[in-house]
Amino acid sequence: MKKINAWYFEDLEETTSTNDAVLDLLEKVKAPCILSTKKQRAGRGRLGRKWQEADGNLYVSFAFPVSEEDLGQVVILSAVAVAQTVRSFLKNAHIGVKWPNDVMVNNKKIAGILFEKGPRDYWIMGIGINVNTTPDIKNPMYIATSFTQEMVKEERLHVLKTLTKNFDRLMEEYKKEGFEKIQKSWLDMAINRGKKITVKQYHGEISGVFRGIDTQGRLLLQTPNGICKILTGDVFYL
Ligand code: BT5
């Protein structure tokens, strides 16, 4: 079995969703593992949305144990790892993060992250990065971009190796020193801090001024009734 750093690693030709396929690999190796695929036929985003496929892009899932109390912080850490990875290839672009964990280049979405519960204390961290091709997104709220569109040619598995290195380094830092530095890195890249935003949730929407994130990774929204701490939702800018 191949490895990237301490992770077992498999790269498939084709699958439905790497977040599902990684469960088979986890069953086999019974240890933290990474599964990527060349083609992903049924990639998903949050809340039943789709993740669009396009040639030569990175579709990957990491399976590893996370405690319930660390989860909100690890979600934020994952966005920092992806953003740092994108930045290391697109040196001149403006890289931003949009809560909880979209990674944007000049306000266009280049990567998305989906956390799902795995078996036992495992979580699955699914990451899509548009490396080679910009997908044709029908949703006018999201404009997409890719490395190629930003004038950089890269190979998806090279991007994966850099991503794994960044993720491992940040996790080590997090375990040794706690969340503070990671929270600061995320806030330094956060789009629209201090501006008015709307957060859409299952049961409605709420508007206010985006004040940052707290020590659990929750979004802080200043409303006329005080600061609201938001655990899940979609952010829209007015
Ligand atoms: C996400 O969802 O951004 C999480 C996407 C996670 C995808 C990875 S790929 C590997 C792993 N296996 C999976 O099955 N999934 C993970 P969300 O925040 O719900 O955003 C979804 C929205 O982003 C869609 O409704 C589109 O508007 C937009 N979108 C879809 N595909 C895109 C793409 N390739 N690039 C940029 N935007 C995209």
Side-chain angles (χ1 to χ4, degrees):
M1 174 75 50
K2 283 193 207 155
K3 283 196 141 186
I4 302 181
N5 303 345
W7 304 77
Y8 287 102
F9 169 59
E10 195 175 351
D11 184 42
L12 303 177
E13 276 300 311
E14 187 171 340
T15 192
T16 47
S17 159
T18 56
N19 267 28
D20 296 331
V22 77
L23 296 174
D24 298 335
L25 179 60
L26 177 61
E27 192 51 42
K28 206 156 63 185
V29 299
K30 297 196 167 36
C33 54
I34 300 175
L35 181 126
S36 59
T37 188
K38 245 188 202 162
K39 278 184 159 293
Q40 177 172 256
R41 291 190 310 268
R44 55 182 180 262
R46 296 177 304 138
L47 305 170
R49 290 184 287 242
K50 286 192 167 43
W51 186 254
Q52 255 169 261
E53 221 240 354
D55 240 22
N57 289 346
L58 177 64
Y59 314 98
V60 62
S61 297
F62 294 66
F64 58 102
V66 189
S67 71
E68 291 289 339
E69 62 181 42
D70 287 352
L71 184 66
Q73 301 181 335
V74 173
V75 167
I76 294 295
L77 184 153
S78 70
V80 174
V82 174
Q84 288 182 351
T85 302
V86 172
R87 176 177 283 160
S88 71
F89 292 103
L90 307 188
K91 297 217 161 50
N92 300 320
H94 177 266
I95 315 293
V97 289
K98 180 168 170 274
W99 187 86
N101 49 16
D102 284 349
V103 176
M104 320 287 285
V105 171
N106 305 326
N107 284 323
K108 297 176 195 154
K109 185 160 169 173
I110 199 159
I113 308 173
L114 172 70
F115 271 81
E116 292 179 321
K117 181 84 187 77
R120 302 178 299 278
D121 57 344
Y122 271 73
W123 279 82
I124 311 304
M125 173 177 78
I127 298 177
I129 305 181
N130 300 327
V131 177
N132 197 45
T133 313
T134 304
D136 182 18
I137 305 287
K138 300 285 182 277
N139 182 349
M141 297 300 292
Y142 281 99
I143 301 172
T145 190
S146 59
F147 283 24
T148 307
Q149 191 169 328
E150 305 298 327
M151 304 303 176
V152 172
K153 265 263 154 265
E154 249 329 312
E155 201 273 314
R156 69 190 172 93
L157 292 182
H158 184 208
V159 177
L160 173 58
K161 280 180 193 142
T162 305
L163 171 64
T164 309
K165 200 170 78 193
N166 285 332
F167 183 73
D168 284 350
R169 177 181 40 77
L170 288 165
M171 279 302 269
E172 212 173 292
E173 255 173 48
Y174 170 60
K175 282 178 188 153
K176 271 199 210 129
E177 299 164 33
F179 185 56
E180 210 174 309
K181 215 166 130 191
I182 286 145
Q183 182 185 19
K184 183 174 181 310
S185 302
W186 191 92
L187 286 170
D188 285 346
M189 293 186 281
I191 296 172
N192 279 5
R193 241 175 115 193
K195 302 235 175 83
K196 195 157 184 210
I197 62 169
T198 295
V199 183
K200 290 199 175 153
Q201 297 178 296
Y202 282 127
H203 42 271
E205 56 180 58
I206 166 168
S207 294
V209 177
F210 173 36
R211 288 293 175 210
I213 50 170
D214 71 1
T215 52
Q216 326 272 285
R218 291 175 298 195
L219 181 143
L220 300 174
L221 195 67
Q222 189 179 5
T223 71
N225 306 322
I227 291 273
C228 261
K229 295 180 175 180
I230 297 175
L231 200 57
T232 55
D234 283 311
V235 170
F236 291 89
Y237 306 121
L238 300 178

